Amino acid sequence: MDRIRVVGGQPLHGIIRISGAKNAALPLMIASLLTDETLTLENVPRLADVNMLVRILGNHGVDYTLKGKRPGEELQSGQTVDLRAEHIVDTTAPYDLVSRMRASFWVIAPLLARMGACKVSLPGGCAIGTRPVDFLLMVLERLGATIAIENGYAIAKAPRGLRGAEISFPKVTVGGTHTALMAAALADGRTTVLNAAREPEIVDLADCLNKMGARITGAGTETIEIDGVAKLHGARHSVLPDRIEAGTYAMAVAMTGGDVMLEGARADLLSGAFEALQQAGARLDASDEGLRVRRNGNGISPVDISTAPFPGFPTDLQAQFMALMTRASGASRITETIFENRFMHVGELSRFGAKIRLDGDAAIVDGVPKLQGAPVMATDLRASVSLVIAALAAEGETMVNRVYHLDRGFEHLEHKLGQCGAVVERISGHG
C-alpha cells in the first residue's frame, strides 16, 4: 500500500495545472448511457474513480477508448475518453461494483430512461455519513417509474417510458439534481426541478446534455426546466476545471507561503472559498491564465466558515481549510452542515500538534505557532489531502498512510507539489 512522505517547511513557487473536475467527469461519463452514439469527453482527469467508472460502464456494454498523452506529458493536459453505448447488454449494476464507488448508483437514471427498466444495487455505507439515495429514487417515481427495494437492490420500471413532472426537493441535492437532468432528458413532456442544486458540475452536465440534443434551461439556478426529447445523439465536451483541486492547492500556498499560478483555475467556481482565503491572508488574483495565489510575509488570520451548497463554502474543502486554520493567529470555528461524520481528520491533525475541539457540528481550531511532522492515516479523500497540507508546513518528516484515498481525487499530487518546491515523494508498497 502506497504512502506519501513529506518534509515540511518549504514555500511553494511555480505553476500547477488544474485538472478536469472529478465531480463533473463522473456524471458526464454516466450520461453516455443515454445515447447509442459516441460521447467524447476531453480534459478527463487520470484518477482511480474514473478508471473504476470506465469498468462499471463497460459492464453495461459501453465501448470506451482512453486517449492520453505520451508518458511525461500527462501533467500538461487531461485525457480524452470516447464512450459509446450502442448496445446496452446488461441493465443490472451489481453490488460488487456499485459498492466501490457511490456515484455509480447514478446509472439508474439513464438506464431507466433509455431501457425502461433496470436493477441497481444500493451503494451501502460511506465513511462520511449515510448519503441516502432517497431523493434520487423520488425523482424517478415523480417521473412515473415504479421502484421496489429487494435484497439490497433498487428495481426500477417504466415500461411506457418516463413522463415529465414537477420535482421539488426538500433540500438541495447534487445527486438528485443530476438524476433529474438525465432521467427527464428522455421523458415525455416538461419537467420542472425546484430547489435544484446550483453547483458548477450541474451546469457542466446540462451543457453536455444540450450538446447531445437535450432541451434544458436554468441550470445554475434554483429552477431548471427540461423539455424531454425522443432521442439524444453523440457530442464532444470538455470537462470543466476542478474547483476542489484549485481550492486545495490555494490553501496549500496559503499554508506554506509562496507564489503559485493555478493554471486553468476559475475564480468564479470557488465562490465562498475564495473569500475565506482572502480573509485568511492570502492574495488571489484571477486572470485569463488562471488564479495566482500568494502569501508572503503576513501571517494567517483566523476565519469562521460554515459549509453550504454552492455558492457557499464547499464541504469538499472543509478539511483543507481546517488544516490551514491550525496555524492561524487565533481561534476559528468551522461548521459542517452538509455531511455528518466529516470531522474524522481532527484526530489525525491533532497528531501534528494542532489544537482542535469538537462542539456538535462545529470544530473550534486554536491556531498554534508551529506543527510537527508525524505519521498519520487518511480516512477519506478530502481528509487525506488536509494531512498533506498540514505536513507541508510542519517541521520535520510526515508519513501519510492509506493514500489510495488521495488517488481517487487528485491527479499527480506529489508531482504537482514537487515541481513547486515541496519535498514530497510517493513510497510504493510496504517499504
Side-chain angles (χ1 to χ4, degrees):
M1 192 176 295
D2 288 6
R3 299 177 293 166
I4 286 182
R5 174 179 174 267
V6 183
V7 179
Q10 301 298 318
L12 300 176
H13 292 274
I15 299 172
I16 294 177
R17 189 194 69 82
I18 298 303
S19 301
K22 181 193 87 149
N23 289 346
L26 299 182
L28 288 167
M29 292 169 65
I30 289 170
S32 68
L33 290 165
L34 287 165
T35 178
D36 59 5
E37 299 182 16
T38 300
L39 176 63
T40 299
L41 298 175
E42 301 171 335
N43 198 34
V44 177
R46 296 167 179 80
L47 300 171
D49 274 9
V50 168
N51 295 335
M52 173 59 67
L53 184 56
V54 163
R55 293 200 291 273
I56 290 170
L57 293 173
N59 181 67
H60 296 297
V62 178
D63 293 323
Y64 56 88
T65 306
L66 296 173
K67 294 179 284 188
K69 295 288 185 179
R70 291 188 297 271
E73 295 182 351
E74 294 95 337
L75 294 176
Q76 309 312 314
S77 63
Q79 58 190 341
T80 297
V81 183
D82 288 336
L83 299 156
R84 186 178 180 92
E86 184 175 6
H87 303 291
I88 293 180
V89 299
D90 194 342
T91 57
T92 297
Y95 174 74
D96 66 315
L97 292 179
V98 177
S99 62
R100 298 184 201 179
M101 186 174 60
R102 292 189 59 89
S104 63
F105 183 80
W106 295 347
V107 300
I108 193 170
L111 287 176
L112 180 64
R114 185 170 158 198
M115 306 300 290
C118 61
K119 180 180 177 182
V120 179
S121 170
L122 298 175
C126 179
I128 57 171
T130 54
R131 296 212 265 187
V133 297
D134 299 3
F135 290 156
L136 284 66
L137 300 180
M138 179 200 80
V139 167
L140 302 178
E141 288 179 327
R142 292 288 298 155
L143 295 174
T146 60
I147 309 285
I149 306 296
E150 296 179 9
N151 304 118
Y153 281 79
I155 300 171
K157 296 179 181 178
R160 297 181 181 177
L162 299 174
R163 301 184 306 276
E166 182 178 289
I167 299 168
S168 181
F169 290 117
K171 60 182 287 189
V172 174
T173 162
V174 173
T177 306
H178 278 313
T179 299
L181 290 178
M182 286 191 265
L186 291 179
D188 181 20
R190 171 170 291 188
T191 297
T192 302
V193 183
L194 305 175
N195 199 27
R198 297 156 60 189
E199 270 69 7
E201 295 80 13
I202 297 290
V203 179
D204 209 33
L205 176 61
D207 288 347
C208 180
L209 290 172
N210 283 338
K211 290 177 185 176
M212 295 166 69
R215 297 168 63 190
I216 301 169
T217 57
T221 73
E222 294 177 352
T223 303
I224 301 176
E225 291 196 333
I226 307 128
D227 288 308
V229 297
K231 186 177 174 63
L232 294 176
H233 53 72
R236 177 177 289 269
H237 182 78
S238 183
V239 179
L240 90 172
D242 195 323
R243 62 193 173 101
I244 304 303
E245 186 193 35
T248 296
Y249 287 124
M251 289 173 194
V253 177
M255 184 67 153
T256 62
D259 186 340
V260 172
M261 169 59 74
L262 302 177
E263 191 175 82
R266 282 172 44 189
D268 62 306
L269 304 182
L270 277 170
S271 59
F274 189 102
E275 183 179 337
L277 277 162
Q278 289 181 316
Q279 292 174 0
R283 181 174 175 182
L284 289 83
D285 298 298
S287 66
D288 291 341
E289 185 181 354
L291 186 64
R292 184 181 179 188
V293 186
R294 287 174 279 178
R295 187 180 69 82
N296 298 313
N298 57 320
I300 300 169
S301 301
V303 181
D304 295 342
I305 59 118
S306 180
T307 62
F310 191 86
F313 191 98
T315 180
D316 280 351
L317 286 173
Q318 177 256 106
Q320 298 90 308
F321 196 75
M322 186 182 294
L324 176 62
M325 289 296 98
T326 63
R327 289 293 315 280
S329 57
S332 58
R333 184 181 182 91
I334 296 174
T335 305
E336 175 58 62
T337 69
I338 309 296
F339 292 126
E340 71 272 32
N341 302 341
R342 209 170 201 185
F343 284 145
M344 290 189 295
H345 44 284
V346 168
E348 296 301 303
L349 287 173
S350 297
R351 291 176 57 79
F352 291 97
K355 293 184 178 179
I356 309 169
R357 64 186 189 275
L358 296 180
D359 178 19
D361 62 356
I364 294 88
V365 185
D366 291 307
V368 295
K370 65 178 182 178
L371 300 175
Q372 294 185 319
V376 291
M377 187 173 294
T379 54
D380 64 57
L381 169 56
R382 307 308 175 186
S384 58
V385 81
S386 74
L387 304 180
V388 174
I389 290 175
L392 290 171
E395 295 180 353
E397 179 182 291
T398 295
M399 194 71 75
V400 182
N401 297 286
R402 289 190 180 176
V403 298
Y404 59 84
H405 289 294
L406 274 174
D407 296 334
R408 288 184 46 228
F410 288 92
E411 182 180 31
H412 300 307
L413 176 95
E414 62 271 25
H415 298 295
K416 289 184 178 185
L417 288 171
Q419 66 186 7
C420 290
V423 180
V424 53
E425 64 173 333
R426 177 179 293 259
I427 299 175
S428 298
H430 296 281

